[in-house]
Amino acid sequence: MNAPATTLAQRIGEQLAREPAENGLPRWARELAARDRARFLDHGLPHRRLEAWKYTPLDARPAPGEAQSPVDGFDAGEGVLVRLVNGAPQELPAGLPEGVRLRTIADELAEAPEDLRAALESIDTESPADVMTALNNADLGGGLVLRVARDVDAGQLVLCWRDTAQAPALANARVLVWLEEGARLDLVEDFAPGRALNVVQQFHLAPGSRLRHARLQAGLDASWLVTRTEVSQAGHSVFEQASLDIGDGLARHDLGVRLAGSGAACTALGAYLPGGEAHVDHHLDVRHEATDCHSTQTFRGVLQDRGRAVFNGRVHVLPGADGSEAHQSNKNLLLSHDAEVDTKPELVIEADEVVASHGATVGALDDKAVFYLRSRGIGEPEARRMLTGAFCREVIEAIGIDAARDAFLARLESHLEVRP
Amino acid sequence: MSSTETVERHLQGRYKHGFFTDIEADALPPGLNEDVIRAISARKREPEWLLEWRLRAYRKFLKMTEPHWAHLDIEPIDFQAISYYSAPKSDKDRPKSLDEVDPKLLETYDKLGVPLHERAKLAGVAVDAVFDSVSVGTTFKKELEKAGVIFCSFAEAAREHPELVRKYLGTVVPQHDNYFAALNSAVFSDGSFVYVPKGVRCPMELSTYFRINAAETGQFERTLVIADEGSYVSYLEGCTAPMRDENQLHAAVVELVALEGAEIKYSTVQNWYPGDEEGKGGIYNFVTKRGDCRGDRSRISWTQVETGSAITWKYPSCVLRGDDTVGEFYSVALTNNYQQADTGTKMIHLGKNTRSKIISKGISAGHGQNAYRGLVKVGKQAENARNFTQCDSMLIGKRCGAHTFPYIEVQNPTAKVEHEATTSRIGEDQLFYCLQRGIGEEDAVSMIVDGFCKQVFRELPMEFAVEAKALLEISLEGAVG
Amino acid sequence: MLKISNLHATVDGKEILRGLDLEVGAGEVHAIMGPNGSGKSTLGNVITGREGYEVTEGSVTYQGKDLLELSPEERACEGVFLAFQYPVEIPGVNNTYFLRAALNAQRKHRGEEELDSVAFLKLVREKLEVLHIGDELLHRAVNEGFSGGEKKRNEIFQMAVLEPRLAILDETDSGLDIDALRTVAEGVNRLRSPDRAMVLVTHYQRLLDHIEPDRVHVLANGRIVASGGPGLARRLEEEGYAWLDEGGIAEVAEAS
């Protein structure tokens, strides 16, 4: 690259200037993009003085790599597969079940439905902490919109995210999902970025709908994956998310859930195994806004080499959200002298009929357990691998989508083989 | 019960330390500048180096900005409207012994239950009492001297033991540590100083009672406790203030230094005036407390019962620098009406085989907001560090809040860190069980709350545990129903 | 002593008791049996005034007083005692301290002098001895970490100390081994007296092998559907509850 740009932020700025996102967009979308481009240029990449980015200051990271992703991907089985290359969806599948509509965000924007506008404008990007979302808005137009009609089971949709050598310095993409009343969807994502990818997802769950979301991140060395998932749940809807992070690069996942209708339930599961120079950061913010909602978060981490993990899990029970039940657990195995874990489980409780708990641990493998296995004739490396695997499997086995659970378990096993 | 009786009971129960003592005071006019600092230093007949130290802190303070906290709702503080020095006037002639202390002052301490004079000496507690800005008398001086223990006001220590003060002052809490620590370093008025020599087990509990009396006054005491090699000391502090409509500022700094094999137990029962039922008035309690386990095998234990103040902001912390050191933090924080508490601890593991334990019990009632904020950090070199944290919150009523913000940062794989937290409303089934046995609702609530806090009360010396329990009961009045 | 007429009660808007009638005289021991979900535990909770149990119709009169007008602690002070099916753990609150607070609240209510700790401890030791219960219970927090059997014994012990006029034992036999069951039964038998009434709520006959009731009632669908002597309990044990649905009710009603 001959450009004189020195920092990633500058390169992104130039990229935005070169390819103005305004083309073909309705006026409000152009305004949104222009406003947030200014915000990005003003704030720059997130830095360590921002509480939410304290342990993952993107401005201080080495620039992302320029590798090409492997071609192989998740076997969609009976489901529908969409490949997204450099953040852009390739050919969309035909023959989707009735009541399921999948389109590019550009096509949807051309029609400019009100709910799409409301969704895009709903995330406040004023704070420098939300600058990655501002950047995503500034580069509007790439990504997918999926709508599932009332009581329709959309089955399984697999999004396979890959980069080529032609990828921009940082690619942006958006995924929006609307599930109408009683609708169902299993969404599986397979991320193997080679460069930098910034994805914002917005899921809207109408009463009684269910979305199960499984995400695998196996980014290449020095790649970046920044995801932000905003979920809004109406009464008695169910959202289950599971993520497995085994990549060699950086991954930052923000999950924001609004339990806005009575009886809604949300589960977030995660296992992360950063080794080498990998860095995984989970930020969760679950808001109990209505009565009788349940939320559970279970995260397990294994850290090796110079791996680094950050966990920030916030559960906020708002006034009036009586009958809330919230449980959170984050456990970490720290297996190297050069690795680091920073965990911060938060509870903010403003209603009184509440049961809430959280727990966090950081430690090494239990020597007694290792010895027990060895005394039964199992070699030490194998014993450690078994125990480490068991530690993570607990959350992966709880994934509801069968195909994703099996595939994730297989990936976990092979990952542990390589890195005992 | 008739309604008049109810009202009377309520009035009596509210804040029993809310009296005001009419004593002629020598006070500086409100305002903050270098002249005020020079005046404070001159009144305390301080050595030149200490004045210089204060001025350095003041210059740092000027460059800092007041912090803003996400979970505290604070009226802006006008630092120019505060008087930074107020002393009972009789202090000008420096009472030589307790017999010369203004009898009205002694009466005040009587009301507070401070065993300051002869009668109470039987209680076996050595007391230093700080009234507004000045230490008014230290009991048991002779007995302590025999053991070699220095226990005196900070001003006296600066004059009599400058080498010790100079060596340790500001080494645990640096002047620029935070905004209020910098302010304190510039304007601190008095406080207690303790030095326990090598191998000495301090023969009695040491205690300081702090009292803000004058209006429009801030209290900025500074406490420095040094436990030399192999020594032991247990130190207690209590605090009260009269009821006033305006907010008053209390910004103290406490520094503890434990050298090799030494142990310091530091207990606080904080009952500054919390403001009224509407949230009017009350003390802003912004305190920096930190202990440094500087020597190997040393141990520092903080115990606090926080029931007072409109706003409490304090994180008594331990720097576990030496190998095999131990830090502990036991806390009960209760917020009722419109009180806000943001409290917790920091355990910084630096040495090898260090251990820390955190037990925090938060109770929120009325519109009270209660936050636990803590940091457990295990540094790269801190082999075999252990931490256990348990953090429980109880909610009484519909309009209160309980928040938990623990930070855990671990850089060493041999560490074992465990954090557990729960939040729940006061158990309805527990309440009903008590009611079914004939126990009235208020009694049942205080019984359950007392049980909830047991793990912390156990750490307090006996007399303090009794006082703490009584305080909780008073503070909870009107919280039910 | 206790007269319940046409009692209707709801929990969360769902009607559980639907016109229950029951009369228990001083000195009598009544057993209330019934299948799961028949409303047995609800009855105990309504009589003692637990929140969330709403009486929509009917009356409960106890020693001539309208019991439903009183707060839970007033009912307790008037001598109504419930041995809980699931005794509650209260961490940090010492068992002895708790019981003394309860006894003194009740004594105060009756205009009697409160007991100091010496007199109280003496009383407690007497009761423990009579009931063959070890004094290790005294030093622990209320029910905290107690086994199922210990919890039930603790309930009987509290009953012995508080000496209620009307005791309701809610499934006190459930989850007990035979030794614990004997201790509990013996405790209950010792407390039988001409001025004390007891209501045993149970699913099984086995407690009644050790405590002979004066009357047995069958509760189904929120009403007493049959009443009789001790023989009724044995029949329920042998034949279960199913025959009640097949027109057996009238049969028993006639028999009694």
Side-chain angles (χ1 to χ4, degrees), chain B residues 60-77 79 175-184 249-251 284-288 311-315 340 342 346 373:
Chain B
K60 286 176 189 158
F61 170 76
L62 289 177
K63 291 198 195 100
M64 298 170 86
T65 48
E66 203 182 332
H68 294 280
W69 299 291
H71 276 267
L72 295 178
D73 181 16
I74 302 176
E75 292 282 314
I77 302 166
F79 291 95
Q175 291 184 334
H176 57 275
D177 187 80
N178 65 71
Y179 189 73
F180 294 102
L183 176 64
N184 175 286
L249 179 63
H250 172 248
Y284 287 171
N285 187 35
F286 301 152
V287 177
T288 307
I311 299 175
T312 297
W313 176 86
K314 66 181 273 202
Y315 314 93
Q340 304 171 60
D342 196 306
K346 293 179 189 171
R373 196 180 299 276

Side-chain angles (χ1 to χ4, degrees), chain B residues 384-448:
Chain B
N384 291 315
R386 295 283 176 271
N387 162 267
F388 175 74
T389 302
Q390 188 187 338
C391 193
D392 298 318
S393 306
M394 183 185 275
L395 298 153
I396 305 174
K398 288 225 169 285
R399 298 171 307 270
C400 52
H403 318 300
T404 317
F405 307 104
Y407 291 72
I408 301 166
E409 302 180 357
V410 185
Q411 297 175 327
N412 186 300
T414 59
K416 191 169 176 192
V417 176
E418 290 175 78
H419 170 97
E420 289 170 13
T422 63
T423 302
S424 56
R425 138 191 202 126
I426 187 165
E428 248 176 87
D429 46 353
Q430 292 175 341
L431 263 181
F432 180 67
Y433 193 75
C434 295
L435 296 180
Q436 209 300 306
R437 296 298 182 254
I439 298 166
E441 192 160 6
E442 278 203 355
D443 290 341
V445 168
S446 34
M447 196 183 270
I448 293 166

Side-chain angles (χ1 to χ4, degrees), chain B residues 59-103:
Chain B
R59 285 162 205 152
K60 286 176 189 158
F61 170 76
L62 289 177
K63 291 198 195 100
M64 298 170 86
T65 48
E66 203 182 332
H68 294 280
W69 299 291
H71 276 267
L72 295 178
D73 181 16
I74 302 176
E75 292 282 314
I77 302 166
D78 181 356
F79 291 95
Q80 294 303 337
I82 296 171
S83 166
Y84 289 85
Y85 186 83
S86 167
K89 206 148 209 178
S90 60
D91 181 68
K92 272 192 154 178
D93 319 304
R94 283 264 129 209
K96 301 289 179 294
S97 76
L98 280 174
D99 307 332
E100 290 177 35
V101 171
D102 188 333

Side-chain angles (χ1 to χ4, degrees), chain A residues 270-395:
Chain A
Y272 46 87
L273 299 92
E277 305 283 339
H279 181 119
V280 181
D281 181 341
H282 278 283
H283 265 63
L284 314 177
D285 185 9
V286 177
R287 293 162 60 88
H288 285 249
E289 298 179 1
T291 56
D292 301 313
C293 293
H294 287 227
S295 69
T296 306
Q297 295 107 49
T298 312
F299 283 75
R300 298 285 179 268
V302 175
L303 291 99
Q304 291 174 313
D305 310 327
R306 282 165 306 282
R308 193 131 182 221
V310 181
F311 177 83
N312 187 310
R314 162 181 283 228
V315 175
H316 189 168
V317 179
L318 284 98
D322 288 338
S324 290
E325 193 167 337
H327 299 285
Q328 186 181 77
S329 154
N330 174 230
K331 294 185 181 173
N332 298 280
L333 286 179
L334 193 54
L335 303 180
S336 150
H337 263 92
D338 299 313
E340 178 173 342
V341 174
D342 301 299
T343 173
K344 187 186 176 201
E346 298 181 31
L347 292 174
V348 178
I349 312 288
E350 295 177 301
D352 79 328
E353 278 179 52
V354 171
V355 177
S357 68
H358 69 207
T361 64
V362 180
L365 276 179
D366 182 357
D367 285 339
K368 278 187 287 228
V370 174
F371 178 74
Y372 183 79
L373 293 185
R374 292 175 68 189
S375 76
R376 294 291 179 268
I378 298 163
E380 182 169 350
E382 178 61 16
R384 292 189 173 276
R385 188 160 55 227
M386 279 172 75
L387 291 169
T388 308
F391 183 77
C392 296
R393 248 194 316 270
E394 188 188 341
V395 293

Side-chain angles (χ1 to χ4, degrees), chain B residues 44 128-130 133-135 151-156 188-193 208 210 219-224 235:
Chain B
K44 309 199 84 70
D128 182 24
V130 176
S133 301
V134 166
S135 174
F151 179 36
C152 62
S153 74
F154 199 93
E156 188 184 333
F188 71 88
S189 28
D190 213 333
S192 297
F193 176 84
T208 302
F210 295 103
Q219 178 150 318
F220 306 92
E221 84 271 3
R222 187 139 193 139
T223 300
L224 178 55
Y235 184 94

Side-chain angles (χ1 to χ4, degrees), chain B residues 268-417:
Chain B
T268 304
V269 173
Q270 184 266 108
N271 187 29
W272 296 117
Y273 177 54
D276 67 10
E277 288 80 3
E278 310 291 305
K280 197 165 182 209
I283 302 288
Y284 287 171
N285 187 35
F286 301 152
V287 177
T288 307
K289 290 183 165 177
R290 194 172 304 151
D292 189 353
C293 285
R294 210 165 275 184
D296 294 349
R297 293 177 307 285
S298 59
R299 184 182 188 116
I300 288 178
S301 173
W302 297 98
T303 305
Q304 61 174 26
V305 176
E306 305 280 323
T307 60
S309 297
I311 299 175
T312 297
W313 176 86
K314 66 181 273 202
Y315 314 93
S317 304
C318 296
V319 180
L320 303 171
R321 202 182 300 276
D323 293 347
D324 303 291
T325 51
V326 178
E328 293 172 320
F329 174 74
Y330 300 93
S331 171
V332 166
L334 180 143
T335 53
N336 196 358
N337 298 321
Y338 285 85
Q339 281 176 275
Q340 304 171 60
D342 196 306
T343 184
T345 184
K346 293 179 189 171
M347 293 291 173
I348 313 291
H349 293 255
L350 300 175
K352 296 183 173 54
N353 306 317
T354 50
R355 279 180 292 146
S356 65
K357 182 173 172 185
I358 299 169
I359 306 287
S360 165
K361 304 281 180 175
I363 302 136
S364 316
H367 290 85
Q369 296 292 322
N370 209 325
Y372 168 83
R373 196 180 299 276
L375 168 67
V376 174
K377 188 179 171 91
V378 178
K380 246 186 170 28
Q381 312 304 326
E383 298 289 317
N384 291 315
R386 295 283 176 271
N387 162 267
F388 175 74
T389 302
Q390 188 187 338
C391 193
D392 298 318
S393 306
M394 183 185 275
L395 298 153
I396 305 174
K398 288 225 169 285
R399 298 171 307 270
C400 52
H403 318 300
T404 317
F405 307 104
Y407 291 72
I408 301 166
E409 302 180 357
V410 185
Q411 297 175 327
N412 186 300
T414 59
K416 191 169 176 192
V417 176

Side-chain angles (χ1 to χ4, degrees), chain B residues 425 428-441 447-452 454 469 473, chain C residues 48 50 73 76-77 80-82 84 88-89 91-93 97-98 101-102 105-106 143 155 158 162:
Chain B
R425 138 191 202 126
E428 248 176 87
D429 46 353
Q430 292 175 341
L431 263 181
F432 180 67
Y433 193 75
C434 295
L435 296 180
Q436 209 300 306
R437 296 298 182 254
I439 298 166
E441 192 160 6
M447 196 183 270
I448 293 166
V449 169
D450 182 45
F452 178 72
K454 207 45 139 267
K469 201 179 148 191
E473 274 170 31
Chain C
T48 50
R50 187 168 200 146
E73 63 269 34
C77 289
V80 179
F81 179 92
L82 174 68
F84 285 65
V88 180
E89 301 192 5
V93 176
Y97 173 76
F98 170 78
Q106 299 197 11
N143 293 323
E155 294 291 286
Q158 291 185 14
L162 296 173

